[in-house]
Amino acid sequence: MKKPFLITGFIVTLTINPLFSDVLSNSLNNMLKKKDSSGMVNLSGINVGGKRKPKVRYGNQIVRKTRPSTTVIGHYNNGKAIIKKEANAYLKKVTKGKIKDLDLLPKKQRLLVLKDLQKMYEIKHFKKRPGTTVIGHYNDDKPVLKKEANAYLRKVTKGKIKDLDFLPKKQRLIVLKDLQKMYAMKHIKSRPSTAVVATVNEKPIFKSEADNYLTSVTGGNIKDFDRLDSQQRLRLIQDISKPIVIKEAAENNVTSEEKEEIFKQMWIGKKRKMLNVSSEEMLALYNLKKQKALAVNPQAVIPNYMSLGDSLKNEILEQKIMGNLMKDVNITVNYDANKTVVIHDLNHSSVKLDKMTKTKE
Amino acid sequence: MVNVKKVLILLGLGLISSTTLVQAKTAGTVNGMKITVKDANKALKLLTKGKQTWATLPKEGKKQLIYMLAPSKLVAVTAKKQLTAKEKEGAIASYWMQKKMSKIKISDSEAKIAYNKMLKMAKKAKSKAKIPPFKKAKTGLKMQLAQEKVVSKLMKKAKIKIK
């Protein structure tokens, strides 16, 4: 009677074992499909189909080889040993009791668990620096305290991050720079309006000029040049420099004869704008011209008044301008050109003198 | 060849004494301002196509010529006196700028690129302003591009120091 039972038991054990392993695989698969709520173990890194630990046969049973729970599996950042049972406990927690032994996982996944434990330990045993720690300096060498950074951090993260030391180095530096910028803006020392803020080809640009320009381009929103950062200052000075550089180049490259002509044209243009010409004046001039022309040639073809409109106006304007200028003018004519006139002229430059000597030669 | 030594000596003299001694043949004066024979001959060359000079001109002709040249002389002096330094600077600068710009040639393709950029910018800024077609905007754009070229050349050479 005993023999058939033993045989049946043996067959049942052999068929059930692979069945159980399929059940474990399915459950792990289901866990992978579920979203991780703990946020600690990266379940997506776990591979259910990964290589299993080698099987060891004890008598008739096949058992997976696992290390004792006191085995040291790694070290925390302070050198303290990480014991396997800590990893098991963690694994049990995150897999909701589905995996209880670290050794059931392939090597890659075991390493992930170890890293998680190390991270958690680091966070748990994180030593925050006191609020009075100097984390940097403002532009006037006043120290930047950690508590100031904490307050700023709390404000900008709406209370989500309260301590600077929780941030990685790069972000800590950004916070420090922000604080320094804000301090510089708040404690700005504005220079007087007579201060020279820049030079363009050694020509000074005064702060008042820069302030005025800034006010006009920002529509009055920013009025102080000293409130700008270095890049903004450069851009603004470049803009202000353009007309200065153009004027300088023009001054050096336009001859005195050209300048005289430019001034003449400009002055005449200005005068023309100030004077008025009535239609009666234009008609009177037209009639006068017509009379003169007919007196010379009675068959002369006289153009229509309307077609002469602008030229008549221009002639009258010229007459008016010149008439004013020539009033009480004192003109002398030197009929004997060989007579030499000696002039003491303060306005003659040495360049002109040079030109004259050259022409003499 | 210009005698450099002589020029330097004359320049030195000019610097030592602010009053320069000028000797020139004068054809006439207008309110005390001289019109030189050189000026008169220049005008005569244009008026008579080189047929007459101050020396060969009869008395009446000389008088007429000086009276003809007088307004220009007066305008020059009055303009110099009445225009402000700013006005003068501005006028010289705009004259020089136009002179420089006229020497710069901007091709149609360059203008087209600038026009397309302008269109893109307007689209990006969601501008409601009407942009004229390329044909109409071309001349203005070319002027603008030429001006930018002149200015950027100058700015490259400029020595800017921020304090």
Side-chain angles (χ1 to χ4, degrees):
Chain A
M1 271 303 279
K2 268 185 184 176
K3 225 176 183 180
F5 271 115
L6 273 171
I7 292 163
T8 336
F10 188 68
I11 291 164
V12 167
T13 322
L14 278 176
T15 33
I16 283 176
N17 248 348
L19 276 176
F20 277 138
S21 69
D22 281 339
V23 171
L24 179 66
S25 166
N26 285 338
S27 73
L28 275 171
N29 272 324
N30 288 336
M31 280 160 60
L32 284 172
K33 280 168 196 167
K34 272 187 190 176
K35 265 197 173 180
D36 175 26
S37 55
S38 66
M40 294 312 294
V41 160
N42 185 5
L43 284 172
S44 60
I46 293 173
N47 180 9
V48 178
K51 266 189 179 179
R52 287 173 177 174
K53 293 290 282 177
K55 292 169 187 173
V56 175
R57 199 178 279 269
Y58 287 101
N60 291 332
Q61 278 188 320
I62 298 164
V63 182
R64 222 174 294 279
K65 192 186 176 186
T66 60
R67 293 169 290 176
S69 61
T70 51
T71 311
V72 174
I73 57 162
H75 290 88
Y76 294 118
N77 58 353
N78 62 355
K80 198 191 157 195
I82 305 171
I83 299 160
K84 196 190 144 194
K85 67 177 175 190
E86 291 175 61
N88 286 350
Y90 171 65
L91 206 53
K92 193 179 167 187
K93 189 183 162 193
V94 293
T95 61
K96 289 169 188 170
K98 281 167 188 164
I99 304 170
K100 291 170 187 172
D101 194 325
L102 182 76
D103 289 335
L104 290 175
L105 299 177
K107 198 180 176 182
K108 267 190 184 177
Q109 290 163 9
R110 288 205 305 275
L111 275 172
L112 283 174
V113 172
L114 187 65
K115 273 186 185 173
D116 270 3
L117 285 170
Q118 283 167 333
K119 265 187 196 173
M120 285 196 311
Y121 186 85
E122 213 175 297
I123 291 167
K124 200 177 172 184
H125 296 85
F126 182 71
K127 275 183 186 170
K128 285 185 273 180
R129 291 172 294 173
T132 49
T133 312
V134 175
I135 57 163
H137 287 89
Y138 293 119
N139 55 358
D140 59 358
D141 280 340
K142 196 190 155 196
V144 185
L145 301 180
K146 199 192 139 196
K147 61 182 174 187
E148 293 173 67
N150 286 350
Y152 173 68
L153 208 53
R154 221 174 293 143
K155 193 181 160 191
V156 293
T157 63
K158 289 171 187 170
K160 279 172 190 162
I161 304 172
K162 289 170 187 172
D163 200 293
L164 181 79
D165 290 335
F166 281 130
L167 299 179
K169 199 178 174 182
K170 264 192 183 177
Q171 287 173 4
R172 288 205 303 268
L173 274 172
I174 292 169
V175 171
L176 180 66
K177 274 188 182 173
D178 274 3
L179 286 170
Q180 284 168 331
K181 260 188 195 175
M182 286 194 308
Y183 185 86
M185 289 290 278
K186 203 176 172 184
H187 297 84
I188 210 153
K189 273 182 189 170
S190 191
R191 286 173 283 183
S193 59
T194 50
V196 174
V197 290
T199 56
V200 180
N201 292 342
E202 278 156 34
K203 208 177 172 188
I205 293 176
F206 295 100
K207 191 170 170 276
S208 56
E209 291 174 68
D211 285 348
N212 288 340
Y213 187 77
L214 185 63
T215 311
S216 70
V217 293
T218 62
N221 286 333
I222 308 171
K223 290 172 186 172
D224 194 340
F225 177 76
D226 287 333
R227 285 197 172 270
L228 303 180
D229 64 33
S230 55
Q231 274 200 338
Q232 290 170 327
R233 284 180 192 193
L234 178 68
R235 238 177 287 149
L236 189 99
I237 293 298
Q238 276 175 339
D239 274 359
I240 297 177
S241 306
K242 281 175 189 170
I244 296 170
V245 173
I246 292 168
K247 275 178 195 170
E248 206 179 73
E251 194 61 46
N252 296 332
N253 294 301
V254 176
T255 64
S256 51
E257 284 86 7
E258 281 174 310
K259 278 180 194 170
E260 194 174 273
E261 204 48 50
I262 295 164
F263 299 156
K264 276 198 252 178
Q265 296 303 321
M266 193 183 192
W267 184 82
I268 290 171
K270 258 180 97 176
K271 282 279 156 194
R272 282 169 68 99
K273 277 179 193 167
M274 288 156 76
L275 294 169
N276 289 321
V277 177
S278 66
S279 50
E280 286 82 21
E281 283 175 300
M282 280 161 71
L283 196 64
L285 182 67
Y286 174 76
N287 287 332
L288 189 76
K289 280 183 168 257
K290 191 177 165 183
Q291 270 179 8
K292 274 186 185 175
L294 289 173
V296 176
N297 178 15
Q299 260 90 52
V301 182
I302 310 295
N304 190 341
Y305 167 71
M306 289 307 282
S307 65
L308 293 171
D310 259 5
S311 68
L312 285 171
K313 192 181 172 182
N314 288 339
E315 205 176 319
I316 295 166
L317 279 171
E318 205 173 294
Q319 275 176 11
K320 280 186 178 181
I321 294 166
M322 292 309 162
N324 283 335
L325 265 182
M326 295 293 277
K327 226 184 251 176
D328 307 321
V329 72
N330 181 21
I331 295 175
T332 61
V333 185
N334 249 0
Y335 296 110
D336 182 9
N338 290 322
K339 194 179 159 189
T340 306
V341 180
V342 180
I343 306 154
H344 288 275
D345 190 350
L346 280 160
N347 295 323
H348 271 284
S349 70
S350 44
V351 179
K352 279 180 184 168
L353 183 72
D354 172 39
K355 273 182 189 167
M356 279 171 186
T357 48
K358 264 193 270 172
T359 49
K360 260 184 153 184
E361 280 166 7
Chain B
M1 270 294 280
V2 180
N3 192 337
V4 181
K5 254 190 180 177
K6 208 172 180 179
V7 172
L8 284 173
I9 291 164
L10 285 166
L11 271 169
L13 283 172
L15 288 170
I16 292 162
S17 161
S18 57
T19 308
T20 50
L21 188 70
V22 181
Q23 285 194 314
K25 284 175 185 173
T26 308
T29 61
V30 183
N31 282 352
M33 296 168 291
K34 63 167 187 149
I35 296 171
T36 62
V37 172
K38 200 183 156 191
D39 292 335
N41 278 334
K42 238 188 207 177
L44 277 171
K45 203 179 173 183
L46 278 171
L47 290 166
T48 65
K49 289 172 186 171
K51 281 174 192 165
Q52 289 271 20
T53 62
W54 179 255
T56 59
L57 203 67
K59 258 192 171 183
E60 194 51 36
K62 282 180 178 173
K63 194 184 165 185
Q64 269 185 11
L65 187 74
I66 295 299
Y67 271 80
M68 219 179 81
L69 294 174
S72 167
K73 198 84 192 167
L74 283 170
V75 170
V77 173
T78 321
K80 211 174 176 183
K81 268 186 198 170
Q82 289 185 0
L83 292 174
T84 63
K86 254 194 174 180
E87 283 175 321
K88 283 179 193 170
E89 272 182 1
I92 294 170
S94 73
Y95 165 79
W96 179 82
M97 196 70 190
Q98 279 177 2
K99 206 174 151 185
K100 276 268 156 189
M101 279 161 65
S102 66
K103 285 176 191 168
I104 289 172
K105 280 179 185 169
I106 306 285
S107 65
D108 277 8
S109 58
E110 272 179 279
K112 185 78 187 172
I113 291 167
Y115 180 79
N116 289 338
K117 257 188 193 177
M118 195 174 76
L119 283 182
K120 261 189 187 176
M121 296 262 275
K123 216 177 179 183
K124 210 177 174 185
K126 290 173 185 171
S127 165
K128 283 177 185 174
K130 267 192 177 178
I131 295 168
F134 178 65
K135 262 190 182 178
K136 271 190 180 178
K138 194 168 79 176
T139 320
L141 264 174
K142 280 186 174 182
M143 294 258 283
Q144 201 182 315
L145 289 172
Q147 192 175 340
E148 275 170 20
K149 275 192 180 178
V150 175
V151 175
S152 70
K153 250 188 188 181
L154 282 177
M155 288 304 285
K156 268 180 196 168
K157 286 180 193 169
K159 285 175 189 167
I160 297 174
K161 282 180 191 168
I162 312 278
K163 291 183 176 178

